[in-house]
Amino acid sequence: MQSDVVSYKWRLNSGPVSAPISVAKGAVGRVNITPDQVGENTIQVWGFDAAGHSSHTGYYKFLVNPGAKPSGVWHFDGDGSDSTTTAAPHALSTGTGAAYAGPGRAGTASLKLDGTAGYAQSSGPVVDTTKSFSLSTWVRLADISRSQTFVSQQATTLSGFALHYSATSKRFVFSRYASDVAAPAASRSTSLAAPAAGVWSHLTGVYDAAAQTVQLYVNGRPQGAPVAFTTPWAATGPLQIGRFHNSTGYVEYFNGLIDEVHVWSRVLADAEVVQDARLEDEDISDGDAGAPKPALVAKWNATDTVNATGATVKDTSGFGRTLGLSGATLGQITTGADPDTGEPGTTRQTMQLNGTSAYASAAGPIVDDTGSFTATAWVSLDPTKFTDTTKSYAVQAFGQAGTSQSSWGVWYEQPAGSSQGRWSFGRPDKDSTDALWSKTQSDAVGAAGLNGAPVMLTVVYDAQTTVDTAAGPKLGSLILYVNNARMGNADDVSFPAPWQGTGAFEVGRAEIDSAAARYFPGTVDSVRVWSGATSTAVIADRFNTEQ
């Protein structure tokens, strides 16, 4: 092989063989290492010529150390302490309009900022902005009418970087600035879609000093290609949470909740960003270590006669989204009665839906549909509505409305000619009338066979799970549980291009091709929604406790 270009393949450990790579002689090859490859690794490399003749295989062993731990971690569980074990942790102080009193995305609380004067800051810099660094946080915008900054590090005139929301572009942004002057050029990595107010979103900003780029991630996904930034400079002031500094002073105060601010003095690999967005349980004492930690963001219980009265069901999650009944009614039903034995059965209040016009709704969206979420409801079908087997049926228990389609929903569908159907969890690829739906389904069940018995339906969109597809590995999977059983085969259903529904959260109907449809006949006892995925073990425990 006398060419100036060498072609080769490689294999790391027992993984797949790489596609052929051609590099000039003397060039440096690069292999990306993920967090699960920490420790001893073996790489096999062999070259080959244009005719496919291979050289001898070379074997090289090397050790991979874990990446450096964060320079700062703030959980905001009642205070601004830095939970890192560094010799000089960076505790935060707060100003008027800031309180560690908001509902937490993780832990017991979050930092609540009023949008006018609230902030938290360190006493000095946390990262060297002339070198590589990464930062991440969970944010919940109270409004999207104006620009707001989540995390920045102050300099003399400006801030050295900003993780922020721009009202001009209506996008999340990670920005770096060419110099510490009043109006410098900026390098901006911008989110691909507009965010929604009132939902938890995970943001990560990465500055790679070697590649000279900035990159924004939303819910673990890179937002376009990295953006060039070639003029790093030192911002030596304090880390600012909830505001930005420019030539006029402090501006862009954040109005909303912020939680779990993490800062690293290095570049995070893509896999590390995904893992951070997954928000895994790190407590080895609770038996669920490594599982994602969801946060309850909506809870409506029709059986709660104190909070479910008249035409409303109050949200008891702490976020105050009242569920309004439109044709749906709250009524008493008795189940389990046996006249032969005299068993009186159990009477409870429930939400009753007629299958033609009744539904309930709350102001939405409830969650960031592009990130992970979980939703659960106890429902029962009215079997008398499915007796005509010459017809097909599709009736939706709950979901998130968009403009033309529901962004996601869970429904029962029964084909014509059959007395059995399936529960389905699905999402359309876009918010238009020509949308294509992806769905995962339950085993076949009969509406008559259910006999009106309550069923616990749980749906999970796991934005951080990788699914193998014909086009290669893709992030995002649809998962459905009926009672405590996970439905479908061992392979998750891929849904790699989620979009945000901005309409109401609806119980008892769907939005299909710009029209209300799929009205649900039966009852709904309770509906709960979480930001974040939920593990199979937790869902099974929930069913076993509540059944």
Side-chain angles (χ1 to χ4, degrees), residues 147-162:
S147 296
Q148 298 162 73
T149 294
F150 313 124
V151 186
S152 64
Q153 187 160 293
Q154 189 175 336
T156 302
T157 301
L158 209 61
S159 292
F161 64 83

Side-chain angles (χ1 to χ4, degrees), residues 140 200 295-300 315 317-321 366-367 529-531:
R140 188 178 188 271
W200 283 111
L296 185 68
V297 293
K299 181 180 181 181
W300 302 285
D315 173 15
S317 71
F319 287 99
R321 299 177 187 267
I366 306 297
V367 293
V529 185
W530 292 261
S531 175

Side-chain angles (χ1 to χ4, degrees), residues 403-406 427-438 495 499 511-515:
T403 301
S404 180
Q405 308 287 352
S406 291
R427 301 196 65 174
D429 62 347
K430 53 189 171 183
D431 194 9
S432 64
T433 56
D434 59 342
L436 298 176
W437 286 72
S438 299
F495 188 75
W499 53 273
E511 185 76 19
I512 304 294
D513 294 340
S514 301

Side-chain angles (χ1 to χ4, degrees), residues 97-406:
Y100 300 107
R105 175 58 186 86
T108 59
S110 63
L111 177 60
K112 185 176 183 179
L113 301 173
D114 65 358
T116 56
Y119 69 92
Q121 69 174 21
S122 61
S123 60
V126 176
V127 292
D128 182 346
T129 56
T130 67
K131 300 177 181 178
S132 294
F133 66 89
S134 306
L135 67 152
S136 72
T137 187
W138 286 91
V139 299
R140 188 178 188 271
L141 286 154
D143 72 85
I144 52 175
S145 63
R146 59 187 180 82
S147 296
Q148 298 162 73
T149 294
F150 313 124
V151 186
S152 64
Q153 187 160 293
Q154 189 175 336
T156 302
T157 301
L158 209 61
S159 292
F161 64 83
L163 189 60
H164 59 119
Y165 167 74
S166 168
T168 302
S169 64
K170 293 182 171 56
R171 296 290 189 272
F172 288 129
V173 188
F174 179 49
S175 297
R176 291 221 59 183
Y177 307 94
S179 59
D180 190 13
V181 297
S187 294
R188 306 186 190 280
S189 179
T190 304
S191 65
L192 299 175
V199 301
W200 283 111
S201 299
H202 184 267
L203 307 178
T204 306
V206 175
Y207 167 59
D208 188 332
Q212 295 187 309
T213 59
V214 292
Q215 176 74 72
L216 173 70
Y217 299 77
V218 179
N219 297 316
R221 299 169 185 266
Q223 303 297 288
V227 177
F229 176 69
T230 59
T231 57
W233 49 275
T236 57
L239 190 78
Q240 298 288 344
I241 309 296
R243 65 181 181 176
F244 184 80
H245 191 272
N246 68 11
S247 59
T248 66
Y250 293 109
V251 295
E252 296 190 356
Y253 283 87
F254 173 45
N255 179 19
L257 306 177
I258 187 166
D259 204 3
E260 294 297 321
V261 174
H262 302 172
V263 178
W264 295 262
S265 296
R266 63 179 179 88
V267 171
L268 287 185
D270 284 1
E272 291 178 292
V273 175
V274 170
Q275 185 176 28
D276 188 58
R278 186 170 169 80
L279 194 58
E280 295 178 351
D281 186 350
E282 297 178 353
D283 183 0
I284 61 174
S285 67
D286 62 3
D288 207 30
K293 295 189 294 184
L296 185 68
V297 293
K299 181 180 181 181
W300 302 285
N301 186 359
T303 69
D304 180 354
T305 56
V306 174
N307 292 296
T309 60
T312 61
V313 181
K314 292 181 180 178
D315 173 15
T316 57
S317 71
F319 287 99
R321 299 177 187 267
T322 298
L323 190 71
L325 309 188
S326 299
T329 58
L330 296 171
Q332 299 289 323
I333 64 170
T334 299
T335 57
D338 188 340
D340 295 333
T341 63
E343 174 64 43
T346 302
T347 299
R348 71 183 191 281
Q349 178 176 274
T350 188
M351 185 193 309
Q352 299 177 350
L353 302 136
N354 60 20
T356 56
S357 60
Y359 70 99
S361 64
I366 306 297
V367 293
D368 185 339
D369 293 345
T370 71
S372 296
F373 62 84
T374 305
T376 291
W378 280 93
V379 308
S380 63
L381 288 167
D382 179 352
T384 65
K385 303 295 186 179
F386 301 88
T387 56
D388 186 351
T389 57
T390 65
K391 298 178 180 179
S392 62
Y393 302 91
V395 294
Q396 181 150 304
F398 56 91
Q400 171 63 51
T403 301
S404 180
Q405 308 287 352
S406 291

Side-chain angles (χ1 to χ4, degrees), residues 28-41:
V28 176
R30 177 175 175 176
V31 177
N32 291 322
I33 302 298
T34 59
D36 61 335
Q37 291 163 340
V38 169
E40 184 177 273
N41 289 263

